[in-house]
Amino acid sequence: MTTTYLWTPPAVQSLPVRGKTERLPINRLFFVGRNYHAHAVEMGKPVDKSVERPFYFTKAPQTLVHSGATIAYPPETQNYHFEMELVLVVGKAGFRVKAEDAHTVIYGYATGLDMTRRDLQLVARDKGRPWDLGKDVEHSSVCSEVVPMPEVVIESGEIALTVNGQTKQHSDVNKLIWGIREIIADLSLFYHLQPGDLIYTGTPEGVGPVVAGDRIEGHVAGVGEVALNIAAAE
């Protein structure tokens, strides 16, 4: 029997894959919070790895937009921020994965932007409320094409971002507080990781606001580039 619906179901979210005609279907979007020391300090929440574990938030797959897109400045914010990130792409199921085996679930990597209504996020944070209105924002999860790198663990490489050609963020992936292996091992204690899960691994210092008319461009050495144009609010 054919299933019918009251309205058309949303399309499967997917990303292009370098060198392939097939697209990569997206499952879930995970984000690692405060995973570079200098960024944690600039947010007023320094991290002591000796006594803390990574923490995460999620966004709906429907927030995903492709690199190069133009998006409207989002509603109900006066402080919309960029965050440049290395994105880990899961290619195999994994649960309670040991750090030494973390490479076995890696399909590849991409470059991404975690766009954030910072004013709403900070209000929620300071009141102990969920971050959803600040983070889970329409068109806020920007991602480049996926670069297949099966079982490769990236441990270093320049990560940088410019706004209208002016450098705003510049660091190295080797400054991650929790590296790729540690992230996979820890996150897989809480979730059964699945093919198509994207893990945005955190942003370095230098985050800041954008306005209508701005163009954001970022890159991670050895992976690729990401870009986003900000249009006027609706």
Side-chain angles (χ1 to χ4, degrees):
M1 180 177 177
T2 301
T3 302
T4 58
Y5 300 96
L6 290 174
W7 46 78
T8 303
V12 174
Q13 297 294 315
S14 65
L15 289 170
V17 180
R18 184 178 298 174
K20 293 186 178 292
T21 57
E22 303 93 339
R23 294 179 67 87
L24 188 141
I26 301 304
N27 189 36
R28 293 170 293 187
L29 306 181
F30 295 103
F31 294 74
V32 185
R34 294 196 291 267
N35 202 21
Y36 286 80
H37 281 296
H39 173 61
V41 171
E42 77 177 351
M43 295 303 295
K45 296 288 184 179
V47 174
D48 182 353
K49 187 178 180 180
S50 67
V51 295
E52 297 182 48
R53 292 176 67 177
F55 79 92
Y56 313 94
F57 57 92
T58 62
K59 296 190 186 187
Q62 289 77 16
T63 65
L64 189 70
V65 295
H66 297 168
S67 174
T70 297
I71 66 168
Y73 193 92
E76 298 300 317
T77 181
Q78 301 299 319
N79 197 21
Y80 197 46
H81 275 213
F82 54 80
E83 297 188 10
M84 178 67 201
E85 312 211 5
L86 171 67
V87 182
L88 166 65
V89 182
V90 176
K92 293 182 180 179
F95 181 56
R96 295 174 181 161
V97 181
K98 295 181 180 179
E100 57 267 29
D101 298 327
H103 60 281
T104 63
V105 305
I106 296 173
Y107 176 78
Y109 296 88
T111 55
L113 300 170
D114 168 22
M115 302 300 294
T116 302
R117 286 191 282 219
R118 186 71 72 204
D119 43 3
L120 301 190
Q121 181 207 10
L122 294 182
V123 167
R125 185 193 74 179
D126 294 345
K127 292 186 176 182
R129 295 174 177 172
W131 290 7
D132 298 57
L133 286 179
K135 286 290 191 179
D136 194 11
V137 181
E138 293 170 346
H139 307 132
S140 67
S141 305
V142 187
C143 199
S144 71
E145 67 175 357
V146 174
V147 182
M149 297 184 187
E151 301 195 354
V152 172
V153 177
I154 291 180
E155 297 179 333
S156 65
E158 181 184 61
I159 178 170
L161 177 143
T162 65
V163 178
N164 303 327
Q166 182 178 358
T167 299
K168 299 292 185 178
Q169 292 185 277
H170 187 266
S171 188
D172 195 290
V173 175
N174 64 18
K175 294 183 180 179
L176 283 168
I177 298 173
W178 289 279
I180 299 299
R181 290 186 180 277
E182 293 169 300
I183 291 169
I184 291 173
D186 187 74
L187 187 59
S188 69
L189 296 174
F190 298 96
Y191 297 93
H192 292 74
L193 298 180
Q194 298 294 324
D197 286 342
L198 303 184
I199 305 173
Y200 285 64
T201 59
T203 193
E205 71 277 12
V207 300
V210 290
V211 297
D214 282 347
R215 179 171 172 82
I216 305 167
E217 297 177 295
H219 72 269
V220 176
V223 178
E225 301 176 347
V226 65
L228 183 69
N229 302 297
I230 307 298
E234 295 178 327

